[in-house]
Amino acid sequence: MRQTLTIATASINTTPLDLDGNLALIRAAVADAVQQQADVLLLPELALTGYGCEDMFFSADWVSGVPAYLSQLAETLPPSMMVAVGFPLLITGGQVFNAVALLSQYQVHGVVCKQHLARNGIHYEPRWFTPWPAGEVMTLELAGQHVPVGDIVFEVEGIRLGFEICEDSWVASRPGRSLYERQVDVIMNPSASHFALGKQKVRRQFVCEGSRAYGAVYVYTNLLGCEAGRAVYDGDAMIASNGELVMSSDRLSFAPWRVQSATVDIGLNRSQRMISSQRLQPAEQRGIVIVPFDWQEEDYHRALSPQTTFADEDPHAAACRAIALGLWDWQRKTYTSGYALSLSGGADSALCGTLVWFAQVQAVLTLGEEAYAQTLAQGRINVALRGDKPLLAWIHDDVMPNVLTTVYQGSAHSGNVTRNAAAGLADEMGALHYDWSIAELVAGYLKLVNDLTPDDPMTWERDDLALQNIQARVRSPGIWLIANRQNKLLMATSNLSEASVGYCTMDGDTSGVLSPIGGVSKSRVLQINRYIMEQGIPLQDSPDLPRLALAAMEAIVNQAPTAELRPVEQTDEADLMPYPVMDAIRRINQTQNVTPKGVLQVLLRGEYAQMYSKEQLVAWIKRYFGLYCRNQWKRERIAASFHIEADSADPKTYRRFPILANQLKRELAEMEAFARQL
């Protein structure tokens, strides 16, 4: 029996429904794993089809064609390596299962099916898949072979391999316990776990604890990139042996695939099972599949992978990288010529534009100039290679004027502070920037309406909201026209905080194909902008340029957020409440699923109870829920956005709420009654 194994993980940037493209990426990853002399390669969950195929998983004609691609992959595998790949399994005449197949050259050795389906957060797996019952095994004809399917363990020359598939490892009754009882040596976890701030720490815990508690090598790999348009996958990959992390990947790479490996000692992990106080039953041999396969000859001179460090997450850097990777994937997967942006000189649009710039720099560094230029050409952007020109100068002079078009659309109430801030930021990035006034357009619409009621013209005292909204809406057609003419994607600039309460103008600042910061709270937007100014965003694959900063962000950071839609001085927080408080209310409500009374109880135990009176907190909670309940129709129409924080305002993938409801009147009254008793 082999004493050691070299195990590789592959994170790949799949595209839903693109079986041929995904297969090509998988084959490229296999080639890299061969170069690393891997014995086993683990690919992510549903890697063959893509995870986000949505209701195409209901298409029997389509799903039934997937096993043929397993055969195509197996035919091209090297003789000395096994590959585990995720795919949807349709049992003819029955239902669809989320599965992983273990392959070697020309062979499909068996299929393990997911037992616990993700149904929380942004995941709706029970809509498409059926959970596999623990302990059940059957035989199916698959890709022309009779294959064992179900809750099985593979034994390969005395080494046992088992699987937990993503959500399986997040539940209390995880299959790892059963795998331990069947004396599994290597537990592999193919995942499609969306990015969210703080989530990597949880993954690390169950990977290391799974290795320690089950006396096994634990292998984890995740999808990479913005696969289907909303969720971003971070390409996280980890291997733990004897309870210690021996491999941890860089996350959020702009590479189309990334393969990393570790050499681990099987015997060392078995020794932990020997001393475990959890009794192993010798008769516990159900679902063991003996695989006729010869490992490559052991290399006794190959060093074991040492314990590796695990750096704490930098939340601002991680959020920037996730959004930038999403922007890059939207740009290349839609074959468009970059982005158009109404650059207001405020915090939200500034961050959107900055992350387009960062995405271009990081893409060049990771892909190389030739591959990057080829990708741009697919979106009708042709740039000459930079030659001797410094990288950032080339991006500024040759790339950004073609990739990002910005327009400052001043109104009668705009000032030079925002105008100059927008111009300065666009200039430092190299964006193609325009400046025009919407004042005449607004005046034209007001004349049309006032001519209908000449004796009753509109006034700010009576028509405040309408007069604000017409300015925001008039900005939409012009920037849309530029986007259409230049084959660009129009970015909306709504953030998570304001989208949650509907503090936005439909068909105004919400206009766009994509809202890049729709998953980022306003508090964090402000913090990130300062971070970009003071520290810069860390870059990967860039020894000579470790961080990317923008000095022009100072003019953005030094402003109070304002919509500039009223003739008098206006700030967003005066219209709403302090952003940190509003974000706390939103986060408590959406992650803890409590009523207004529950939100107040949490706030009273925290820092804001020391800063504000009980009466003020009650008033702000009422304000939040009043806006939240009234504006669900707005959230239904907001452009697609990336999931970045723990919660989201997206009703299609995270938070569902009725469009018509009773405004939570009873629950708000209950909160007020509770507050009066204190």
Side-chain angles (χ1 to χ4, degrees), residues 45-64:
E45 181 178 11
L46 296 172
L48 197 53
T49 58
Y51 180 81
C53 297
E54 303 285 337
D55 284 358
M56 280 299 290
F57 286 126
F58 287 141
S59 174
D61 288 346
W62 181 74
V63 178
S64 63

Side-chain angles (χ1 to χ4, degrees), residues 455-505:
D455 297 329
D456 186 23
M458 300 182 75
T459 67
W460 280 101
E461 290 73 24
R462 290 182 305 165
D463 303 296
D464 177 82
L465 185 61
L467 289 171
Q468 288 191 69
N469 284 346
I470 187 59
Q471 296 171 76
R473 291 193 175 107
V474 161
R475 291 184 169 116
S476 178
I479 192 67
W480 263 122
L481 185 61
I482 285 179
N484 291 161
R485 188 183 189 197
Q486 297 182 0
N487 185 41
K488 295 190 185 301
L489 297 167
L490 176 59
M491 289 190 287
T493 59
S494 301
N495 60 65
L496 171 57
S497 306
E498 292 164 2
S500 294
V501 294
Y503 187 71
C504 50
T505 303

Side-chain angles (χ1 to χ4, degrees), residues 132-207:
W132 190 271
E136 291 198 11
V137 179
M138 65 183 299
T139 300
L140 288 178
E141 184 175 339
L142 188 71
Q145 303 177 39
H146 291 284
V147 175
V149 174
D151 182 7
I152 58 178
V153 165
F154 302 93
E155 183 171 317
V156 186
E157 287 196 322
I159 296 176
R160 291 189 176 181
L161 312 176
F163 291 89
E164 291 184 320
I165 303 175
C166 200
E167 183 73 6
D168 284 339
S169 61
W170 292 76
V171 299
S173 57
R174 59 189 291 189
R177 171 65 180 272
S178 169
L179 298 178
Y180 167 81
E181 291 171 346
R182 287 179 279 179
Q183 302 159 45
V184 164
D185 298 298
V186 180
I187 300 175
M188 292 185 279
N189 187 329
S191 286
S193 177
H194 69 275
F195 171 85
L197 292 173
K199 197 173 182 182
Q200 187 193 30
K201 184 178 180 181
V202 180
R203 295 192 196 121
R204 181 202 178 195
Q205 289 171 345
F206 71 65
V207 167

